[in-house]
């Protein structure tokens, strides 16, 4: 292919004919034009007349120019010009395409895909096969494995189905895989990188180069991934650190904060100075909005590293400290210590108690009150009962009130968790023998479980609780000798907590230690109803996909261990996302683990680095030929007009016809692209009436048969039963919501491409939410054999349902409810007979209605009726009886899917009759 | 539409004749612009106009003596009147394919103009009381009410496609009017004309030509195609042939005029872009000037 600037020519030798154009000009000019034909009665008088000078009339110059243009267009069109040519592939072996589909690939994924398609076009032109290798593992404990040399059509299918994964790549394993490749001849290798450095990149590049030459397709520096790290939960404001891979010029990144529904709550910008790789975006949000933030992400970036998920650890609570007047001595006031302890993770509100109670607070900390006045007591009790957490501290006033007996001692007061003894005790003072007590431990009951026991905290003085049978249940922290240090109890929806020592340093060192902060943090989290997780691992709730979107959990993700500090690496087993059960959420983020980004520069010499082809090569030969044709029609019209063969009437119609022909040749056929309907409109249409649905396989004749079969079955149902379904709908498992259908019919053909991960997920969700999947293998004699049956239908079924959890199956016996849901059936014939029907073994799985029914007789083929009312397929061995039976099978299936197993209750009828005494 | 009985021949003829009005109307209109009248034949015969006095011979009846003239002298005289007889005119128009041609759509074809002239002349003749017929149609000359319609019908039906008329059917001392383009060789025309003149038939030639045949307004490379199988001629540059063609056309016309005048006929020339009344006027005057021998 010979290239000239932005054009290349597939057959450049045709262009030699352009040299003949001047000769053509001379010839056309020398040739006199065609004579105008005129009928003339007096021609006898003209015969033999020749004028003296013989200069013939010439063709007008513009007609000549038009004809030359036509010739030029024809020659250029035949030379096969191509715009934005893509070069050729050298070497005799196949094309090796290594694709980085780790998290960083999502940033420039459309460009990468376009580039991959362009390379596949080149391979197709050169007639090569393609070996495809992805560098990120698909499943846990899987290693990147190269495919065998594929034909370009198959490779194209696979390339279209590739999506980036939200975890890092494994370049070492990929290099190993490349080393294990055995290829005939020298293979050109193309590596579609995401532009980020990683260990093992150089080795991979060297091995690829050894195959026969490596081209690295590298997105531009502006398109490589930039990541957003989760902010530090300890800082009061939400400051999101942003990192980029290449330190280039100045760049401003916008960071958005989103709430749990995906709405943007706030935006901030992070400005990178030139040659800086780190910046920060600070959000300025009021507390209520800040607590709603569920994730932050870089705007306009579509990869998993640009999203940082936040969980409970980042939400700041509001804590109320009633101010009893200003103190001139801060270091001696308990409010000072409380404020310092709460400030890292909570917002403090200081006001008189009445005002505080009117506000929304997570926790109210009362430091050493003696007696609470009655009026206050009522409001406080109500507040606690409504769900507030009240933390009280002991102190001299409380001790005095206890001594005087004004605090309830026997019964549990609404504002004290446990009844208290009259006196406190003093440890390690001048008048006692004991040393000041240490903290013994944090029992497993209570929100303080699991806190590390501090070494240096000594408690000198404390109030004591009445020993009683329930004291253990309410003790949340103990001293070494077992006496409770922190007790708490539930009151209504809220909690009352008592710390048996002071909030400042007079009675103990607790207020000076870090344990104080931890205790208070745990108590603050108590307010939100966060129960302790204990040791249970956290199952995945919602996971990020390769493009940074949150989806429902599925696939091979495993649970996170309970300990937040022992979080495992991000990989296929633990993709980034939100883990937890019920209302609790823990965020597992990718960005902190890949925080040091560096651009990929460490490539061996001799590697061609390219930007991805942003424009596919377009052949413009057909356009030029079409233009030549249109101009030739124009020329034809002009020649006729000049010869006077077009009369006045004829000229008008000829002009119209010419114009129509030119327009028709020039207007390209616009592809009527089927519009993707709104998912809502689809769901509404599907769900507002009973409809039978079928999985769109993509094979036209199978889909047609299925649709016709289901339409006829719908009519039969309308006639014979009380179900009146609307016409059937096709459902694409990858994009349409399947859960609106009660029953889904899937005709298995070998030509159906493998399901994408999204489609498999949708089908899994469909099965889990109670839908019935009727699978028709459409093959006589096939059935899901217990031993690995090698029939084509089984192979295809296995390939297509690899990602879908098919439950354990059993054969349909004579007593199964499917034989009697509407009609009484012995066999289940379709277009063929003899195949077996397998259903889910509901005894094993514990369901009621089987979610999977697999048959092998082509049912839709027997039901299908075309528009004229003729049966589309013949039944084998034949007979209208068999077709009638096939309709009955269909009715039974639909009734089973819609009404369940109530017919199975017939088994109890004898017992019921007996009980009634008949 | 239903009819009670099939139309009678007269009704059919009348319906057929109602299709002819445009040509008839045009002809009548043209004719009405020209004055008409019965003319004498300048010989003795039955009539109304006094011609001469002749001496009485024994074979004359006694009642024919004119006593007023006879009283003035001593001999007897008979009054004689001029022979006012209606003339019979045979008209012919050229129906060959070369007549059905026009150079511009707004002009009538030569044949249309010829037919118009023939019919208009017939109408004039009939108004003047003379008898007309179409040469070659086989009908006797007549002057009744329906003659014009009949002649128009005959013209419409087509008829002879010859370049030149046949000479039979015209008695001695008749009048003939030939309307055509006479683009054939003058010798052939002369030979036909002589055949007529040998039987003492007087005649008029009217040459109807298209303006393009006189001016040759074409330019560029033109292939001229004959309409009657004469072949075609390719002119590389048509405008350069104009002068030579003009010479030839003039020579042809003069040959025609000379041939006609040799036997005492007259030639009238007419272009289809001129008004037909002028030609008609000239024709009528020529016919009136020749009352026959």
């Amino acid at each position: 292919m010979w290239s000239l600037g932005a054009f290349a020519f597939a057959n450049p030798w045709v262009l030699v004919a352009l040299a003949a154009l001047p000769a053509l000009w001379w010839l056309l000019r020398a040739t006199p034009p065609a004579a105008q034909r005129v009928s003339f009665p007096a021609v006898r008088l003209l015969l033999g007349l020749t004028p003296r000078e013989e200069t013939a009339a010439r063709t007008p110059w513009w007609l000549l120019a038009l004809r030359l243009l036509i010739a030029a267009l024809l020659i250029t069109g035949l030379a096969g010009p191509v715009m934005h040519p893509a070069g050729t592939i050298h070497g005799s072996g196949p094309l090796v395409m290594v694709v980085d589909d780790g998290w960083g690939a999502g940033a420039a994924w459309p460009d990468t895909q376009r580039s991959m398609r362009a390379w596949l076009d080149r391979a197709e032109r050169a007639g090569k096969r393609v070996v495809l290798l992805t560098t990120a593992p698909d499943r846990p404990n899987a290693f990147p494995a190269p495919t065998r040399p594929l034909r370009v059509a198959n490779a194209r299918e696979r390339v279209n189905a590739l999506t980036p994964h939200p975890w890092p790549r494994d370049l070492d394993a990929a290099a190993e895989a490349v080393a294990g490749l055995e290829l005939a001849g020298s293979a050109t290798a193309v590596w579609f990188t995401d532009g980020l450095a990683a260990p093992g990149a150089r080795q991979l590049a060297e091995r690829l180069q050894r195959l026969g030459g490596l081209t690295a397709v590298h997105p531009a520096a502006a398109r490589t991934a930039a990541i957003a790290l989760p902010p530090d939960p300890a800082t009061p404001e939400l400051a999101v650190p942003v990192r980029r891979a290449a330190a280039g010029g100045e760049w401003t990144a916008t960071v958005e904060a989103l709430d749990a529904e995906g709405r943007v709550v706030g935006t901030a910008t992070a400005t990178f100075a030139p040659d800086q790789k780190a910046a920060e975006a600070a959000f300025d949000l009021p507390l209520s909005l800040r607590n709603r933030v569920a994730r932050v992400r870089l705007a306009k970036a579509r990869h998993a590293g640009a999203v940082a998920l936040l969980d409970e650890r980042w939400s700041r609570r509001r804590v109320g400290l009633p101010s009893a007047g200003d103190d001139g001595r801060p270091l001696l006031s308990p409010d000072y210590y409380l404020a310092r302890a709460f400030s890292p993770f909570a917002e403090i509100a200081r006001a008189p108690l009445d005002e505080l109670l009117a506000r929304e607070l997570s926790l109210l900390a009362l430091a050493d009150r003696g007696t609470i006045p009655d009026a206050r007591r009522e409001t406080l009790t109500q507040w606690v009962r409504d769900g507030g957490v009240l933390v009280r501290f002991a102190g001299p006033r409380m001790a005095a009130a206890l001594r005087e007996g004004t605090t309830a001692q026997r019964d549990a007061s609404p504002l004290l968790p446990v009844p208290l003894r009259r006196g406190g005790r003093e440890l390690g003072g001048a008048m006692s023998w004991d040393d000041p007590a240490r903290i013994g431990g944090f029992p497993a009951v209570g929100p303080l479980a699991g806190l590390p026991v501090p070494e240096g905290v000594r408690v000198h003085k404390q109030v004591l609780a009445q020993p009683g049978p329930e004291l253990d249940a309410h003790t949340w922290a103990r001293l070494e000798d077992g006496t409770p240090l922190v007790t708490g109890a539930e009151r209504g929806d809220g909690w009352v907590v008592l710390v048996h020592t002071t909030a400042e340093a007079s009675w103990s060192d607790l207020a000076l230690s870090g344990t104080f902060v931890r205790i208070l943090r745990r108590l603050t989290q108590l307010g939100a109803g966060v129960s302790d997780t204990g040791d249970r691992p956290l199952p995945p709730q919602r996971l990020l996909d390769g493009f940074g979107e949150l989806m429902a959990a599925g696939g091979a993700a495993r649970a996170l261990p309970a300990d937040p500090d022992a979080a495992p690496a991000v990989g296929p087993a633990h993709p980034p996302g939100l883990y937890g059960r019920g209302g609790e959420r823990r965020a597992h983020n990718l960005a902190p683990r890949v925080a040091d980004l560096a651009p990929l520069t460490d490539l061996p010499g001799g590697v061609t680095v390219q930007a991805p082809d942003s424009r596919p090569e377009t052949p413009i030969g057909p356009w030029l030929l079409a233009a030549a044709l249109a101009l030739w029609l124009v020329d034809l019209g002009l020649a006729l007009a000049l010869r006077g063969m077009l009369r006045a009437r004829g000229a008008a119609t000829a002009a119209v016809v010419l114009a129509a022909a030119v327009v028709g040749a020039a207007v390209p056929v616009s592809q009527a692209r089927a519009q993707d309907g709104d998912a809502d409109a689809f769901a509404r249409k599907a769900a507002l009436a009973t409809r039978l649905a079928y999985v769109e396989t993509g094979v036209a004749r199978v889909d047609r048969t299925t649709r016709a079969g289901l339409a006829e079955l719908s009519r039969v149902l309308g006639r014979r039963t009380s179900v009146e379904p609307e016409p059937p709908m096709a459902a694409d498992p990858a994009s349409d919501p399947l859960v609106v259908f009660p029953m889904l019919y899937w005709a298995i053909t070998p030509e159906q491409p493998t399901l994408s991960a999204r489609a498999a997920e949708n089908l899994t969700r469909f099965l889990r939410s109670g839908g019935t999947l009727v699978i028709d293998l459409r093959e006589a004699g096939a059935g899901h054999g217990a031993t690995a049956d090698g029939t084509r239908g089984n192979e295809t079924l296995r390939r297509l349902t690899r990602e879908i959890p098919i439950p354990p199956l059993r054969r349909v016996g004579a007593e199964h409810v499917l034989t009697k849901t509407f009609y009484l059936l012995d066999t289940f014939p379709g277009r063929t007979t003899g195949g077996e029907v397998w259903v889910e073994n509901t005894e094993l799985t514990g369901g009621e209605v089987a979610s999977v029914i697999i048959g092998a007789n082509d049912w839709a083929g027997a039901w299908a009726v075309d528009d004229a009312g003729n049966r589309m397929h013949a039944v084998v061995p034949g007979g209208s009886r068999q077709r009638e039976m096939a309709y009955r099978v269909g009715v039974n299936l639909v009734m089973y899917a819609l009404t369940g197993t109530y017919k199975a209750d017939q088994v109890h009828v004898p017992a019921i009759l007996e009980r009634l005494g008949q | 539409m239903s009819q009670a009985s099939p139309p009678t021949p007269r009704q059919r003829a009348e319906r057929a004749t109602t299709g002819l009005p445009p040509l008839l109307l045009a002809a009548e209109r043209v004719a009405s612009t020209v004055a008409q009248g019965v003319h004498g034949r300048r010989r003795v015969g039955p009539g109304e106009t006094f011609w001469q006095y002749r001496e009485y011979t024994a074979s004359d009846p006694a009642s024919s003596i004119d006593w007023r003239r006879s009283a003035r002298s001593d001999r007897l005289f008979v009054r004689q009147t001029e022979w006012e007889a209606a003339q019979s005119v045979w008209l012919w128009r050229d129906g060959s394919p070369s007549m059905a041609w026009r150079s511009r759509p707004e002009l009538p074809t030569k044949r249309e103009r010829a037919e118009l002239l023939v019919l208009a002349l017939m109408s004039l003749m009939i108004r003047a009381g003379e008898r007309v017929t179409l040469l070659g149609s086989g009908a006797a000359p007549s002057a009744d009410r329906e003659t014009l319609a009949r002649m128009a019908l005959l013209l419409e039906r087509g008829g002879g496609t010859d370049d030149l008329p046949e000479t039979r059917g015209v008695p001695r001392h008749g009048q003939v009017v030939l309307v055509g383009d006479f683009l054939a060789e003058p010798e052939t025309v002369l030979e036909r004309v002589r055949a007529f003149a040998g039987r003492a038939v007087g005649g008029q030639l009217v040459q109807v030509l298209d303006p393009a045949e006189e001016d040759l307004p074409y330019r560029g490379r033109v292939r001229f195609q004959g309409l009657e199988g004469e072949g075609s001629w390719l002119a590389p540059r048509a405008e350069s042939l104009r002068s030579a063609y003009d010479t030839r056309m003039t020579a042809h016309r003069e040959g025609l005029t000379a041939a006609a005048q040799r036997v005492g006929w007259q030639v009238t020339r007419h272009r289809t872009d001129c008004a037909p009344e002028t030609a008609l006027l000239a024709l009528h005057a020529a016919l009136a000037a020749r009352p026959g021998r």
Side-chain angles (χ1 to χ4, degrees):
Chain A
M1 191 176 286
W2 179 67
S3 66
L4 177 75
F7 294 91
F9 292 94
N11 308 318
W13 48 268
V14 177
L15 290 176
V16 168
L18 280 177
L21 279 184
L24 189 67
W25 165 273
W26 178 83
L27 190 67
L28 284 178
R29 194 140 174 80
T31 311
Q36 190 182 7
R37 276 183 180 271
V38 165
S39 53
F40 198 67
V43 77
R44 192 185 59 83
L45 297 175
L46 285 171
L47 291 173
L49 272 187
T50 49
R52 265 166 310 191
E53 33 134 342
E54 177 76 39
T55 50
R58 287 176 185 268
T59 327
W61 65 268
W62 43 269
L63 197 61
L64 277 187
L66 182 66
R67 287 180 183 166
L68 280 181
L69 183 65
I70 293 172
L73 282 176
L74 193 68
I75 293 171
T76 319
L78 285 176
V82 164
M83 255 178 49
H84 316 304
T88 47
I89 305 176
H90 310 284
S92 56
L95 174 70
V96 177
M97 285 177 62
V98 179
V99 184
D100 272 350
D101 56 348
W103 64 270
W109 188 248
D111 289 342
T112 313
Q113 271 215 318
R114 255 201 299 266
S115 188
M116 285 197 278
R117 283 193 203 114
W119 273 88
L120 283 175
D121 285 337
R122 269 196 249 179
E124 193 172 26
R125 248 209 313 280
K128 290 184 181 291
R129 294 206 168 207
V130 176
V131 174
L132 201 58
L133 170 67
T134 56
T135 53
D138 295 333
R139 292 184 294 280
N141 304 327
F143 293 104
T147 60
R148 54 183 171 72
L150 298 167
R151 262 188 290 237
V152 174
N154 297 343
R156 233 188 264 277
E157 251 185 44
R158 286 199 193 221
V159 159
N160 286 340
L162 282 180
T163 51
H165 295 296
W167 47 79
R169 317 158 274 175
D170 190 358
L171 290 181
D172 290 321
E176 290 296 324
V178 168
L181 269 181
E182 289 166 6
L183 300 167
S186 73
T188 315
V190 184
W191 183 15
F192 297 91
T193 81
D194 55 6
L196 299 170
R202 189 175 177 101
Q203 199 185 26
L204 178 64
E206 276 170 5
R207 293 221 179 133
L208 284 174
Q209 208 181 13
R210 231 176 279 151
L211 287 179
L214 172 62
T215 308
V217 177
H218 199 291
R223 305 279 305 211
T224 44
I227 56 172
L229 296 164
D232 186 6
T235 56
E237 67 271 347
L238 206 58
V240 178
V242 183
R243 304 263 181 277
R244 64 174 169 177
E250 204 176 300
W251 182 46
T252 309
T254 315
V255 181
E256 293 170 344
L258 306 163
D259 67 358
E261 276 94 34
R263 293 187 288 243
V264 175
V265 168
T267 53
T269 53
T271 311
F272 286 88
D275 296 329
Q276 281 292 324
K277 291 188 3 174
E280 216 174 59
F283 282 88
D284 184 20
L285 297 170
L287 181 68
S288 53
L289 276 184
R290 190 201 181 287
N291 285 342
R292 273 172 52 187
V293 172
R295 59 187 196 267
V296 290
R297 70 159 183 224
L298 284 171
K300 296 190 210 95
R302 297 196 68 217
H303 56 275
V307 176
L309 300 163
L310 307 181
D311 57 21
E312 291 294 314
R313 291 173 272 175
W314 278 273
S315 59
R316 283 171 78 83
R317 303 293 156 76
R318 192 180 271 136
V319 165
L321 295 179
S323 57
D326 59 334
D327 247 328
R329 298 170 295 172
L331 283 178
L332 295 180
S333 97
D335 286 345
Y336 174 76
Y337 291 95
L338 284 173
R340 289 290 297 262
F342 276 120
S343 62
F345 54 88
E347 210 177 273
I348 301 165
R350 268 184 218 264
L353 186 58
D354 304 326
E355 279 175 41
L356 278 181
L357 288 178
R359 281 199 221 172
E360 234 183 63
L361 294 175
S362 300
L363 185 142
L364 186 62
L366 281 182
D368 192 24
R369 294 284 168 106
T371 351
I372 299 179
D374 280 339
R376 275 295 159 71
R377 182 189 288 273
E378 286 303 317
T379 37
L380 211 50
T381 315
Q382 189 58 42
W383 183 83
V384 169
R385 205 167 284 132
D386 286 338
V389 175
L390 177 66
V391 178
R392 295 182 68 175
F393 288 85
R397 277 183 235 147
M398 183 180 279
L402 280 175
R403 231 173 290 130
E404 283 161 25
T406 53
T407 318
Q409 296 180 31
R410 237 171 302 269
D411 316 315
S413 132
L415 291 179
L416 281 176
V418 290
L420 296 174
R421 286 190 64 158
R422 230 174 145 167
R425 71 170 168 166
E426 196 168 332
L427 303 157
M431 304 292 286
S432 76
W433 302 108
D434 315 316
D435 293 324
R438 286 198 209 129
I439 298 187
F442 297 96
V445 58
L448 303 181
L451 282 179
V453 177
E455 286 294 322
V457 173
R458 301 281 183 270
V459 177
H460 305 279
K461 237 177 157 176
Q462 57 160 165
V463 298
L464 291 170
Q466 286 273 19
E470 289 122 26
L471 185 59
D472 270 347
H474 294 306
T475 307
W476 289 356
R478 256 177 234 288
L479 293 178
E480 262 180 340
D481 55 1
T483 42
L485 182 64
V486 177
T487 51
E490 249 185 282
R491 297 276 180 262
D493 281 334
W495 297 80
V496 178
V497 182
L498 175 66
V499 179
H500 290 231
T501 176
T502 53
E504 15 74 34
S506 53
W507 281 13
S508 72
D509 299 337
L510 184 63
L512 303 173
S513 74
T515 316
F516 193 50
V517 180
R518 287 198 200 101
I519 292 175
L520 288 178
R521 185 195 288 236
R522 289 283 183 101
L523 293 177
T524 320
Q525 284 175 348
L526 190 62
V530 175
S531 56
D532 60 314
T533 61
D535 289 326
R536 288 183 302 172
L538 304 163
Q541 253 185 24
R542 298 181 78 190
L543 300 173
L544 286 178
D545 68 355
F547 292 109
E549 306 287 330
L550 272 180
M551 319 172 306
R558 300 199 190 132
L560 274 189
D563 189 358
D565 301 320
V570 173
H574 301 104
L578 294 167
Y579 290 74
R581 221 185 280 276
E584 57 170 321
R585 291 188 330 237
R586 181 170 323 149
H588 187 51
N589 278 315
L590 167 71
R593 287 169 178 76
V594 294
D596 26 327
L597 294 178
L600 181 68
T601 49
D602 186 22
L603 289 173
V607 172
T608 330
V609 177
Q610 274 183 1
D613 311 326
S614 55
R615 305 157 303 185
E617 54 173 47
T618 43
I620 54 174
W623 292 100
L624 292 182
L625 290 176
L629 179 70
L631 286 179
W632 179 71
L633 288 173
V634 170
D635 172 64
L636 202 63
L638 284 175
L640 285 178
L642 283 180
R643 285 170 61 179
M645 314 255 296
L646 297 175
R647 291 280 151 233
R649 288 169 289 123
T653 53
V656 165
V657 165
L658 206 61
V662 165
V663 165
V667 166
V669 175
S670 66
Q671 298 171 348
R673 199 163 288 161
Q675 286 282 26
D676 297 285
D678 213 7
D680 271 350
F682 182 90
R684 217 174 292 139
K685 183 178 169 207
L688 286 178
T690 312
R691 283 182 197 268
L692 303 177
Y694 61 99
V695 171
E696 213 171 325
T697 59
V699 181
R701 57 177 174 80
V702 171
D703 282 343
R704 214 180 317 131
T705 307
T706 313
R707 195 190 192 97
L710 287 178
E712 183 61 21
L713 183 65
S714 304
R715 281 192 280 271
V716 165
L717 280 168
R719 281 199 294 267
R720 302 188 191 185
T721 70
S722 58
V723 177
E724 286 169 13
E726 295 281 311
M729 277 174 79
D732 183 11
S735 54
D736 296 328
L738 297 175
V739 292
V740 293
F741 298 115
M743 188 184 101
L744 208 56
Y745 183 93
W746 192 2
I748 300 284
T749 58
E751 290 106 21
Q752 184 178 357
T754 316
L755 296 179
S756 61
R758 214 184 184 123
E761 220 180 273
N762 278 351
L763 278 169
T764 311
R765 205 179 311 145
F766 172 75
L767 288 178
R768 285 221 188 98
S769 64
T772 304
L773 184 62
V774 176
I775 295 180
D776 197 345
L777 294 176
R778 296 172 64 244
E779 203 177 55
H784 189 79
T787 61
D789 228 356
T791 60
R792 202 123 179 268
N794 283 346
E795 287 287 322
T796 317
L797 179 67
R798 214 168 285 126
R799 171 175 70 89
L800 289 173
T801 56
R802 194 168 35 181
E803 309 285 324
I804 304 171
I806 302 281
L809 305 168
R810 70 175 181 93
R811 282 199 189 84
V812 168
E815 79 296 341
H816 194 269
V817 68
L818 202 52
T819 56
K820 51 186 182 218
T821 50
F822 196 82
Y823 290 104
L824 295 175
L825 299 172
D826 325 317
T827 57
F828 296 87
R831 199 170 52 84
T832 54
T833 56
E836 294 192 323
V837 178
W838 293 75
V839 289
E840 178 189 346
N841 197 340
T842 46
E843 290 159 27
L844 286 184
T845 54
E848 285 286 334
V849 177
S851 52
V852 176
I853 303 172
I854 302 183
N857 304 321
D858 183 8
W859 288 317
W863 301 330
V865 164
D866 66 9
D867 299 326
N870 305 319
R871 314 283 181 196
M872 276 171 82
H873 300 281
V875 291
V876 171
S880 53
R881 178 131 188 97
Q882 185 178 341
R883 207 185 279 278
E884 171 58 30
M885 284 314 198
Y887 282 119
R888 292 189 182 184
V889 168
V891 171
N892 266 27
L893 284 173
V894 173
M895 296 306 269
Y896 181 66
L898 291 180
T899 60
T901 55
Y902 80 99
K903 280 289 175 80
D905 293 340
Q906 293 288 319
V907 69
H908 298 299
V909 165
I912 295 172
L913 289 177
E914 207 183 311
R915 232 175 282 160
L916 289 176
Q918 286 172 5
Chain B
M1 73 182 178
S2 61
Q3 262 190 310
S5 57
T8 62
R10 189 187 169 81
Q11 283 170 337
R12 257 189 282 137
E14 280 191 356
R15 203 174 295 141
T17 58
T18 53
L20 300 174
L23 186 56
L24 272 183
L25 279 175
E28 292 282 344
R29 206 177 325 126
V30 168
S32 62
T33 65
V34 183
Q36 74 267 5
V38 177
H39 52 262
R41 275 185 166 253
R42 300 186 197 272
R43 52 165 44 204
V44 173
E48 288 174 0
T49 325
F50 166 75
W51 182 243
Q52 67 180 5
Y53 286 114
R54 182 170 56 87
E55 281 218 18
Y56 177 79
T57 59
S59 56
D60 295 322
S63 53
S64 62
I65 295 173
D66 188 282
W67 292 110
R68 189 182 284 257
R69 178 75 182 86
S70 303
R72 264 194 249 138
S73 69
D74 38 339
R75 282 192 300 240
L76 289 170
F77 288 99
V78 170
R79 186 194 177 90
Q80 278 185 322
T81 51
E82 191 182 4
W83 182 22
E84 289 165 353
Q87 211 178 15
S88 292
V89 186
W90 277 260
L91 298 114
W92 173 87
R93 60 104 180 82
D94 186 349
S96 60
S98 67
M99 289 290 286
W101 182 78
R102 56 184 162 190
S103 62
R104 292 201 304 267
E106 54 264 21
L107 296 173
T109 57
K110 291 192 284 184
R111 180 171 160 154
E112 280 167 16
R113 184 50 65 80
E115 284 176 2
L116 180 66
L117 284 177
V118 160
L119 268 185
L121 199 55
M122 278 187 185
S123 166
L124 277 180
M125 300 276 121
I126 289 174
R127 270 185 236 202
E130 315 210 352
R131 296 197 295 263
V132 293
T133 185
L134 268 183
L135 181 63
S137 66
S142 56
D144 26 307
R145 220 177 22 176
E146 288 157 8
T147 307
L148 209 53
R150 202 164 54 236
M151 291 302 127
L153 191 62
L154 279 174
L155 279 178
E156 201 72 22
R157 290 243 182 90
T161 50
D162 295 332
D163 227 16
L164 291 167
E166 54 184 61
T167 50
R168 291 170 301 142
V170 181
R172 292 176 65 85
H173 308 295
Q175 273 281 352
V176 154
V177 177
L178 305 178
V179 183
D181 59 1
F182 301 113
L183 290 173
E185 294 284 325
E187 278 66 37
T188 48
V189 177
L190 177 62
E191 177 250 317
R192 203 59 68 91
V193 162
R194 268 213 211 104
F196 273 118
R199 297 165 59 228
V201 172
Q204 304 275 330
L205 287 180
V206 183
Q207 188 187 34
V208 177
L209 283 182
D210 200 276
E213 283 167 329
E214 298 197 354
D215 305 331
L216 203 70
Y218 303 104
R219 14 174 359 99
R221 194 175 157 83
V222 183
R223 177 171 285 279
F224 295 101
Q225 189 83 32
L227 289 161
E228 287 170 15
E230 300 107 319
S232 62
W233 183 250
L234 174 67
R237 214 184 254 283
E239 57 266 23
S240 59
L241 293 181
R242 254 181 230 150
S243 52
Y245 175 79
D246 209 30
T247 321
R248 277 202 185 176
M249 178 58 102
T250 320
H252 176 80
R253 274 212 209 115
E254 276 164 14
L256 197 64
T257 320
Q261 278 170 356
R262 218 172 292 157
V263 291
W265 285 22
Q266 267 192 312
V267 177
T268 314
R269 283 208 294 275
H270 177 69
R271 273 162 70 118
T272 49
D273 57 347
C274 297
E277 287 86 351
T278 51
L280 205 57
L281 207 56
L283 260 180
H284 189 74
L287 275 174
R290 295 282 314 276
R293 297 192 206 136

